[in-house]
Amino acid sequence: MGCASSIHISDRVVYHSGKESEDSHSPQQTNTTQHQGNPTTLTEVQFGPMKLFKDPLQVLLVFAKEDSQSNGFCWACEKANFRCSMARTPESALECFLEKHHDLVIIDHRHSRHFDAEALCRSIRAVNSSENTVIVAVVKRPDREEASVMPLINAVGFIFFRYVENANMMACYNELLQLEHGEVRAQFKLRAGNAIFTALEQSQEAIEITSEDQVIQYVNPAYESIMGYQQGELIGKEIIEVPKSEKNKPDLLETINSCIRKGKEWQGIYYAKKKNGDSIQQNVKITPVIGQGGKIRHYVSINRPLNDNNKTDKSSERVQAESQTDIQSSKHKDRRKGSLDVRSTTSRGSDGSSQRRHSSMARIHSMTIEAPITKVINIINAAQESSPMPVAEALDRVLEILRTTELYSPQLGTKGSDPHTNDLVGGLMTDGLRRLSGNEYIFSTKQPHHLPSHLTTPLSLNDIPPRIAQTMENEDSWDFDIFNLEAATLKRPLTYLGLKIFSRFGVCEFLNCPEATLRSWLQVIEANYHSSNSYHNSTHAADVLHATAYFLCKERVKQSLDPIDEVAALIAATVHDVDHPGRTNSFLCNAGSELAILYNDTAVLESHHAALAFQITTRDDKCNIFKNIERNEYRTLRQAIIDMVLATEMTKHFEHVNKFVNSINKPLAALEENGGNNDEESVKSVLTSPENRILVKRMLIKCADISNPCRPQELCIEWAGRISEEYFAQTDEEKRQGLPVVMPVFDRNTCSIPKSQISFIDYFITDMFDAWDAFADLPNLMQHLDNNFKYWKGLDERKLHSLRPPPE
């Protein structure tokens, strides 16, 4: 018997769904006859680790006339329980094949005068479903048989056999059995192989198949999508030619190869390098495929990315770093009053148990796009299924915590009895109660959102009066006295300090704007601060700008930020409280103010500051500092400014601090502990990643915004008096208008200013500046903070409510 010259693998999958009824084999025309074998069960075929089940063989006999040879094959089909059809003409044969899609076709090629066997072969091969059909030609015994067979081979092209005529029934039977267990079964496996490859193509796991020499033979679309390669870039390449990630341990590849070359499966965590150079952590399973003679023929690698858990390799380092961070955060514990650790919050117990899990969770598990918190919840749910009841109930309490919206805000717990802390949290970290009265709060005086006429001729930096210039001589020092500048400039410190600081940082050069435009911009921004506010006025803005500039000069900050970040930070500090009405967000929401309605009671003031700053800036070319920068650069700058201004909103205070600690402080502490050759590069990676640069900028402006407790004592006391007066005025107005009193302790007749400062430092300042100091190295600030805390503590212990002790 001959063999196929080549094998073709089809993308089409053919399944036989079951035994056909007797009616389906009834003759359709006089030239076609069906012979049904005895009823049989499905045939089991082993295909690697799979068991396939096959219908009885379908055989088509094409003989022009009945003779002993055709009868021999009919008898053999019946004995083998094959389903047999007999066709007398090429037309009936083709029609029958189109209906049945036979596994085996036997054509009589002994008598060319009856029909053209070559034409029939071509017709059958033209049908898509014939690609896995085996065709056998019955040929004569004469010596010229070779000449008669070759045209048929050329016509069939592949999967072709010849049978030298032999009418003996047992010879025909043996031939059919050999075909069934040989080529027909091989073709059946190829059809199943098509189904398997279809499954591989649809799989969401990255799959790679290599030869025994580790030459890549196949990768599926999921592999292309995850790794960024096209199939054509990989097929035929040796594994060693594909770039490897440096994050794997040096001996990992050797371990894997040693395992799989012994025919053993390997499974574990492996870093692969994507085409763009990024490393991706994957759960990898590599299985050797044993072929003929027990030899390894292929390796199949199934790779599942660990998604957002790609940083888990650093978890052990971060655990080691935590002790270091804890040491840093406890440096100033002596100034705390039961200070709350924002990194470990507690929660109420849960009455519910693991019974709370519903079948609807199955839909969540099947989601392909999940938020990180959803993945965490799914992992916990899966762990609960096999956990003892006490563990399952404990995990239920964990789930209750995770499903709250305030994951980063500490619950008051130990501080619940402190009214100052409660009122500060209520006033600064909530959007207020619903309005209780019908009165709407309208700003009593609206500042003009335009360039005032008395400032239309701005001063030049070189024309600053000597007294003001002298006041600003030490503006690069942390101990710079902003109140002296306020007095010297007649409450216009922002314009003068802005001119000097922006000049020092080369802002005009970066923005490609004339100094006159910058002067006009600073003046119009300052004009839109309310000088009537005791705290939120342009002096506060100038103070925050000064702190921002000071922080930008710290070495770690300079390593992290780009020039565009520095410019964004300076502009954000300048505008961060523009048009502040001297009232908190809670007040505005309770009063149903126009701004609260406009911004849906969410980050009302911060949204207004950012929006108004850009409205003022872009409305008039005379003060448009952005008009000469490229569009994409403007968009980047604008986004950074808005993000920093919104970061000053206190409702997300603990979220920003915790993210900074976990994403920056702890990794840096771990790197400092571990050292190593790649230490400098690793530090740079932490400092300059886009996500971390955003966290640095947010932390920088947050610290600048509420840095008053870290200022020299006299400045700290003055700021404490100013913020207290603004809160007193708000409480007075709430009582007048019949609104909910957001911070009852800030009643000018009963308030203890030292207690309020102690609570503010304890709850908001200590942890944040511990983290910022660990990053930026600010020992002078921390010393001031210590001194100021002790000052307020001393007044409180003497039961004093005032800013200063009474004169001796």
Side-chain angles (χ1 to χ4, degrees):
M1 293 176 62
C3 65
S5 59
S6 64
I7 297 178
H8 174 75
I9 300 178
S10 167
D11 291 331
R12 185 182 61 84
V13 184
V14 180
Y15 286 106
H16 297 283
S17 58
K19 288 189 283 186
E20 299 173 33
S21 66
E22 292 289 337
D23 291 342
S24 68
H25 295 282
S26 59
Q28 301 297 312
Q29 54 175 297
T30 56
N31 289 329
T32 308
T33 308
Q34 282 77 31
H35 302 273
Q36 178 71 45
N38 296 326
T40 68
T41 58
L42 297 179
T43 304
E44 184 182 295
V45 179
Q46 192 72 30
F47 185 21
M50 294 198 317
K51 286 186 178 179
L52 306 175
F53 294 92
K54 185 182 181 308
D55 284 330
L57 211 67
Q58 296 252 27
V59 181
L60 174 60
L61 302 177
V62 186
F63 286 81
K65 295 192 305 181
E66 182 179 348
D67 61 5
S68 58
Q69 186 65 72
S70 65
N71 289 335
F73 277 119
C74 284
W75 178 88
C77 287
E78 189 172 352
K79 181 173 176 60
N81 291 322
F82 295 161
R83 293 173 178 168
C84 177
S85 302
M86 177 71 76
R88 299 298 183 193
T89 66
E91 294 77 19
S92 60
L94 187 58
E95 186 174 346
C96 186
F97 180 81
L98 290 171
E99 180 187 352
K100 303 291 183 186
H101 307 294
H102 302 82
D103 304 295
L104 176 62
V105 178
I106 300 176
I107 301 174
D108 184 7
H109 191 50
R110 296 169 297 166
H111 310 290
S112 58
R113 66 181 180 278
H114 294 303
F115 57 77
D116 188 343
E118 295 176 27
L120 176 58
C121 286
R122 291 192 184 95
S123 298
I124 291 174
R125 283 292 174 227
V127 178
N128 286 337
S129 57
S130 73
E131 51 203 1
N132 296 116
T133 297
V134 178
I135 299 178
V136 177
V138 179
V139 298
K140 286 184 176 182
R141 284 192 176 277
D143 295 338
R144 296 185 64 234
E145 65 182 13
E146 193 66 27
S148 66
V149 169
M150 284 309 298
L152 190 60
I153 292 176
N154 293 333
V156 176
F158 48 85
I159 317 178
F160 167 77
F161 295 88
R162 62 176 184 167
Y163 175 77
V164 178
E165 62 179 343
N166 183 347
N168 181 278
M169 290 182 177
M170 287 308 296
C172 293
Y173 177 66
N174 289 335
E175 180 68 18
L176 289 184
L177 291 183
Q178 288 182 52
L179 286 167
E180 181 195 22
H181 290 281
E183 190 58 30
V184 172
R185 181 162 293 185
Q187 292 305 312
F188 175 68
K189 289 181 178 180
L190 280 179
R191 289 207 302 272
N194 291 333
I196 293 166
F197 273 98
T198 300
L200 295 181
E201 291 284 299
Q202 300 299 323
S203 172
Q204 293 184 2
E205 293 177 325
I207 298 172
E208 175 187 67
I209 300 176
T210 62
S211 68
E212 67 269 30
D213 299 321
Q214 298 204 340
V215 174
I216 299 173
Q217 296 179 314
Y218 170 82
V219 295
N220 69 340
Y223 185 101
E224 294 178 291
S225 174
I226 292 169
M227 301 303 296
Y229 287 100
Q230 295 297 312
Q231 202 176 56
E233 297 175 273
L234 296 172
I235 303 300
K237 275 191 174 182
E238 292 187 30
I239 285 286
I240 57 172
E241 296 180 62
V242 181
K244 301 290 184 293
S245 172
E246 300 78 15
K247 290 192 174 184
N248 294 308
K249 292 181 180 177
D251 58 346
L252 181 59
L253 279 176
E254 187 178 332
T255 303
I256 295 172
N257 288 329
S258 173
C259 177
I260 62 177
R261 282 171 184 161
K262 294 174 185 175
K264 296 178 183 178
E265 188 177 85
W266 183 88
Q267 184 168 359
I269 304 300
Y270 179 80
Y271 280 97
K273 180 173 269 190
K274 298 165 73 171
K275 184 179 178 181
N276 65 6
D278 293 345
S279 290
I280 179 170
Q281 193 180 29
Q282 298 179 323
N283 194 331
V284 177
K285 185 176 185 180
I286 304 175
T287 305
V289 179
I290 310 299
Q292 191 174 4
K295 185 180 177 184
I296 296 173
R297 299 295 181 182
H298 303 278
Y299 297 102
V300 177
S301 174
I302 301 174
N303 314 312
R304 180 182 299 166
L306 294 184
N307 298 323
D308 292 331
N309 298 328
N310 287 345
K311 295 180 181 176
T312 54
D313 63 311
K314 296 185 180 177
S315 59
S316 59
E317 297 174 13
R318 290 184 179 179
V319 169
Q320 295 169 7
E322 190 152 2
S323 59
Q324 176 71 16
T325 307
D326 290 343
I327 291 169
Q328 293 167 345
S329 66
S330 63
K331 283 191 295 186
H332 307 282
K333 291 267 183 182
D334 60 327
R335 67 171 172 268
R336 303 187 188 191
K337 178 184 175 184
S339 179
L340 183 66
D341 183 358
V342 300
R343 293 179 294 280
S344 56
T345 60
T346 58
S347 173
R348 298 183 300 276
S350 168
D351 293 333
S353 69
S354 58
Q355 302 300 321
R356 208 181 309 157
R357 297 187 297 280
H358 305 296
S359 60
S360 61
M361 285 303 296
R363 291 197 298 275
I364 297 176
H365 283 294
S366 66
M367 289 170 61
T368 55
I369 301 175
E370 300 174 320
I373 188 65
T374 309
K375 295 175 183 176
V376 171
I377 290 173
N378 287 345
I379 291 168
I380 293 173
N381 273 318
Q384 279 183 309
E385 299 300 330
S386 57
S387 299
M389 186 56 72
V391 176
E393 289 177 350
L395 291 175
D396 259 327
R397 291 195 291 276
V398 172
L399 289 173
E400 182 184 0
I401 296 169
L402 291 177
R403 289 185 176 116
T404 64
T405 55
E406 296 300 327
L407 291 178
Y408 290 93
S409 298
Q411 296 177 350
L412 291 181
T414 59
K415 293 194 176 183
S417 59
D418 181 0
H420 290 82
T421 301
N422 281 334
D423 284 3
L424 282 169
V425 172
L428 299 178
M429 298 191 64
T430 66
D431 289 323
L433 306 168
R434 293 317 308 150
R435 183 157 53 94
L436 298 184
S437 73
N439 302 321
E440 291 204 349
Y441 176 71
I442 308 297
F443 297 157
S444 55
T445 57
K446 290 209 173 189
Q447 295 293 324
H449 299 159
H450 55 79
L451 189 64
S453 58
H454 67 284
L455 293 175
T456 51
T457 310
L459 296 169
S460 165
L461 183 60
N462 298 323
D463 296 331
I464 291 177
R467 189 165 62 92
I468 295 175
Q470 186 178 1
T471 307
M472 292 194 297
E473 277 181 355
N474 70 329
E475 56 84 18
D476 56 349
S477 163
W478 181 253
D479 295 346
F480 172 67
D481 191 335
I482 193 71
F483 299 115
N484 283 344
L485 183 63
E486 179 190 59
T489 60
L490 304 178
K491 293 191 175 181
R492 285 193 287 142
L494 184 58
T495 298
Y496 291 96
L497 186 64
L499 279 171
K500 185 162 187 189
I501 288 177
F502 278 49
S503 173
R504 176 152 63 92
F505 280 85
V507 174
C508 284
E509 290 80 359
F510 183 90
L511 296 174
N512 191 26
C513 81
E515 187 189 12
T517 304
L518 175 64
R519 291 195 302 269
S520 297
W521 179 78
L522 284 167
Q523 288 178 320
V524 74
I525 293 296
E526 183 158 37
N528 281 283
Y529 277 91
H530 298 201
S531 59
S532 57
N533 292 342
S534 58
Y535 182 86
H536 287 101
N537 49 42
S538 69
T539 304
H540 167 66
D543 183 61
V544 175
L545 174 61
H546 171 264
T548 298
Y550 182 82
F551 294 151
L552 287 174
C553 293
K554 305 311 289 184
E555 192 57 39
R556 268 277 170 80
V557 178
K558 287 197 289 186
Q559 290 173 7
S560 178
L561 302 185
D562 292 335
I564 194 170
D565 298 315
E566 294 180 353
V567 172
L570 294 171
I571 294 173
T574 304
V575 306
H576 84 282
D577 271 335
V578 66
D579 197 38
H580 197 295
R583 301 292 181 262
T584 64
N585 278 332
S586 297
F587 178 94
L588 298 181
C589 293
N590 288 336
S593 72
E594 294 174 3
L595 287 180
I597 293 170
L598 178 63
Y599 293 110
N600 301 311
D601 290 355
T602 304
V604 176
L605 285 171
E606 293 72 25
S607 299
H608 175 60
H609 303 322
L612 181 63
F614 280 94
Q615 287 172 0
I616 292 171
T617 304
T618 58
R619 191 164 53 201
D620 187 346
D621 275 357
K622 281 191 248 176
C623 61
N624 188 356
I625 56 175
F626 304 126
K627 67 180 177 182
N628 292 330
I629 61 173
E630 191 263 334
R631 182 191 298 269
N632 287 336
E633 198 166 40
Y634 170 69
R635 290 177 61 187
T636 303
L637 190 63
R638 170 175 158 78
Q639 189 56 52
I641 294 166
I642 292 171
D643 185 80
M644 292 180 75
V645 172
L646 293 181
T648 62
E649 196 232 347
M650 293 300 288
T651 60
K652 293 189 176 180
H653 171 82
F654 293 101
E655 178 178 344
H656 294 319
V657 174
N658 272 275
K659 284 181 177 178
F660 184 84
V661 168
N662 289 313
S663 298
I664 297 176
N665 281 147
K666 290 184 179 180
L668 288 177
L671 288 169
E672 286 171 7
E673 275 189 12
N674 298 335
N677 296 330
N678 296 324
D679 187 42
E680 192 174 322
E681 197 60 37
S682 300
V683 168
K684 185 180 178 183
S685 175
V686 172
L687 292 177
T688 60
S689 75
E691 299 84 2
N692 285 354
R693 279 168 51 208
I694 290 172
L695 296 180
V696 169
K697 286 183 287 184
R698 288 175 181 171
M699 193 72 163
L700 186 152
I701 197 168
K702 280 183 62 60
C703 289
D705 188 30
I706 54 176
S707 64
N708 306 152
C710 299
R711 291 289 188 179
Q713 193 169 98
E714 281 306 308
L715 304 184
C716 171
I717 293 170
E718 176 65 22
W719 284 123
R722 292 189 177 203
I723 191 64
S724 298
E725 177 54 40
E726 197 164 285
Y727 287 163
F728 293 157
Q730 176 171 309
T731 301
D732 292 343
E733 186 165 358
E734 286 167 336
K735 290 178 179 179
R736 278 198 309 272
Q737 293 201 26
L739 295 171
V741 177
V742 174
M743 296 181 286
V745 296
F746 282 96
D747 184 312
R748 66 176 67 251
N749 299 314
T750 59
C751 179
S752 167
I753 293 177
K755 278 188 186 297
S756 70
Q757 287 297 304
I758 290 167
S759 296
F760 184 65
I761 291 171
D762 254 349
Y763 199 75
F764 291 107
I765 297 298
T766 297
D767 288 309
M768 182 172 76
F769 271 92
D770 277 341
W772 188 235
D773 172 46
F775 177 77
D777 188 22
L778 303 161
N780 51 335
L781 276 73
M782 304 313 287
Q783 188 59 56
H784 286 315
L785 180 58
D786 241 359
N787 295 341
N788 293 330
F789 184 84
K790 289 173 181 174
Y791 173 79
W792 298 120
K793 200 89 166 100
L795 291 179
D796 184 51
E797 287 168 356
R798 293 170 63 184
K799 310 294 184 189
L800 297 174
H801 289 194
S802 58
L803 285 169
R804 303 176 190 276
E808 293 296 334

